[in-house]
Amino acid sequence: MKWHEMEIQDVAESVSTDRESGLSGNEVEARYAKFGYNELQEAEKTSALLLFLGQFKDFMVLVLLGATVISAFLGEYIDAVAIVAIVLMNGILGFFQERRAEKSLEALKQLSAPQVSCLREGDWVRIPSREVVPGDIIKFTAGDRIGADLRLLSVKSLEIEESALTGESIPVQKSSEALKLKDPGLGDLSNMAFMGTLVTRGSGIGLTVGTGMKTAMGQIADLLQSAESMDTPLQKRLEQLGKILIVTALFLTALVVGAGVLQGHSLYAMFLAGVSLAVAAIPEGLPAIVTVALSLGVQRMIKQKSIVRKLPAVETLGCASVICSDKTGTMTQNKMTVTDIWSGGKHWKVSGTGFETSGAFTFKDRTISPKEEKALHQILTFGMLCNTAELKDEENESRIDGDPTEGAMLIAGMKAGLTRPSLRNSFKIIEEFPFDSARKMMSVIAEDSAGNRFVVTKGAPDVLLGLSGQVLWEDRQEYMSTKYAQRIKESIESMASKALRTIAVAYKPVNPGRELNQEEAEKDLVFVGLQGMIDPPRPEVKLAIKECRAAGIKTVMITGDHVITARAIANQLDLLPPGGKVMEGSALNKLSEEELEKTAENVYVFARVSPEHKLKIVKALQNRGHIVAMTGDGVNDAPAIKAADIGISMGITGTDVAKEASSLILADDNFATIKSAIREGRNIYENIRKFIRYLLASNVGEILVMLFAMLLALPLPLVPIQILWVNLVTDGLPAMALGLDQPEGNLMSRKPRHPKEGVFSRGLGWKVLSRGFLIGAATLAAFMFIYYKDPENLAYAQTIAFATLVMAQLIHVFDCRSEKSIFDRNPFENLYLLGAVASSILLMLAVIYYPPLQPIFKTVAIEPRDWILVMGMAALPTFLLAGSLLTRKS
């Protein structure tokens, strides 16, 4: 129903409520049964068991489990146990990471449900907001959060901050009058109060017309049901990689088995060798190492104020090509701040943002003292006298208790050295006429220490201008001529063009013995000047946007705020490039999907948009091939957050619905944190490429050793347990250390990789094959050299091959740190890698020289002189290619 169009009595009759006594106990119970509790439906939480089992749905993991069954069937129980151990480790890591993220999310939620004051059976009682039913009458005052959707019955200077729903940072003035509007938005419904919004000024009484999912917040949250989550690029790439590896493994298995049978080997023996080769072809540690790399990235991101709810989301930010960001609180501070003051023909600038009480006053780029400028000091003093806001310090953080506009004027006065205690010593407030949305002003009658009385009024500039017969001009009171009125109007328009919200200040002396009513006090005023304020940009966001642009990432502001404000903030942040467009929601409505897709490429600011618009914008950019990150804090942002490739919600101001829809939560609500997350995401992906390169080149080497030996009718140079040992230990530890590698210097100057870029792009496939071929050839050469010297001692030749393969891989791991050459990176930059390599060498020596392990791994002790052969052949693959690269450069 269109509650805003109905008269109050008609609304009360429609919901069957007695306006004098409220609902009875029986009526409340009946409405519970009909409407349910006043709460948003939450997505059903996955049980711990299902969450754990969900870790094993990956394609590669399923194939590994299949290999486990085959290995066990063929009697290779050690292989089977080792594979199961790796799969379980991967599952446990993923399970605990998701659980930890959920706990971090819970910590951000409210500790208790908000209470509301409700009229029940003639008495006002405090009840949890979830117990409110349609028809309940609710009373609220400044500082309260609205517990349901209400049609306002009565208001007193009521203002409500609705940014969670509309994106507008400035509180909305409310009334109780019926409205006749054509196609109104939520922000236009001044006689309604909505669930989850915050009362910043005044008080009111409202009649509940919507609860739970029937509220504006609930209806927007319902869009989440149709917003589909997207697989991340990393998930797609790893799935692609898994399929390639499986096909390769099966092909090579068939090739080896066929070649062996043709050469006279038994089918059973060749089938066993083929299975061993297939196990070698699949990097068993890859899923675990990817999970570990992402988990380590998550821990680093938590230190940078980012909480990751879904592991693959870390990497997705690394290939984001567009960031769609909310304005209020993300790009701006959500703290109204006075930046400009005009009085008597002079215009001062004020520095310092947010709730900082330090700042400078400048006139024509020259710093001045407010005490030396009579008009400036006077307007700041009046701004604090006609003001009820207070600055509160709580847990090392300041906040404004009261209206944000008054808070801004309070901070401006404090920057000039004025304080509440000093004002109380110098002035006494005799009477106060509170702000009223009809009058659009507030006044006080004050008395100074000398007994002089005067009225101070602040309010809408056009209203005060009409009530002022005089103007303070260059420290003198002048008659308000047309010339002065025009100068004031020009100043108002100049501030408005910069998206400043202007508040006018006026005063007049009064006779101490004369009592004034409100109407008498607020006429024949002396116009003092204007204070211009804005929700300022966060200082660090401008640089973050610049760095994102250098990284090839487009930043788009999407806000429910007015287009003038949005454009001004975008210009201050250098977000709008030459030719960049600004579009309003009304213009977006007229575009088809195809037209929006074409237009969206050149639009950098979308203003006055609805939740449906945000979803359309995200979809349009995705259809153009972009990887889209969407940030927001309100319920109105949640559908677009969920539909985006990477959804980002705010930890401080974000609603539970937005957080639930997101993959990443910014604990500090700061756009600059996204830039840090992008850097981390890019580095994680590059590190994943590094260890994929390392693992696959190593495995290609293992495969080719086995394959060439079969084709040359040689005995197996490696037994299955040695292959598995290399895969899990020698591959695993250095690969994990690669996941901690420092980023290369040019990481944030590269363009985002294309979302369809394959894992083997940028020459990775060639590097894997060429290094793998050389590792395999060197290992086989070492094996053949020792084997032909003493064919009876096969175990010794196999041990030589084993040691050569291990050392070749451990040398090769340093080459994987750079896209170019092993000589381009300092090996001591990554101490974790040095430790991992040292650990792998010690483990290899233990397997070779520790007698209890020798029978398990089929090894024998190597003579010291043969280590020259091992190290020479192991170093050959890496340094041969590095040398050829240096030769080409020269």
Side-chain angles (χ1 to χ4, degrees), residues 325-383:
S325 176
D326 190 28
K327 175 182 71 68
T328 306
T330 309
M331 292 184 164
T332 65
Q333 300 180 39
N334 204 14
K335 299 173 181 176
M336 293 299 290
T337 304
V338 172
T339 59
D340 293 69
I341 297 176
W342 180 92
S343 180
K346 285 188 174 181
H347 191 140
W348 296 275
K349 302 290 289 184
V350 187
S351 69
T353 59
F355 300 148
E356 299 172 4
T357 56
S358 59
F361 294 81
T362 56
F363 178 70
K364 294 182 178 178
D365 297 326
R366 181 173 58 87
T367 302
I368 55 94
S369 170
K371 293 180 180 178
E372 297 173 0
E373 295 276 354
K374 181 180 177 182
L376 175 60
H377 194 264
Q378 191 168 19
I379 191 173
L380 290 168
T381 302
F382 287 162

Side-chain angles (χ1 to χ4, degrees), residues 64 134 145 177 440 449 463 520 637 655 665 708 722 844:
L64 286 175
R145 196 165 288 280
E177 303 298 321
K440 296 184 179 180
S449 55
V463 175
E520 291 172 327
D637 300 316
T655 60
I665 300 173
F708 292 159
Q722 291 172 348
M844 176 193 67

Side-chain angles (χ1 to χ4, degrees), residues 450-468:
N452 301 311
R453 287 193 180 184
F454 52 91
V455 175
V456 178
T457 302
K458 76 170 191 301
D462 56 336
V463 175
L464 263 63
L465 184 58
L467 294 172
S468 298

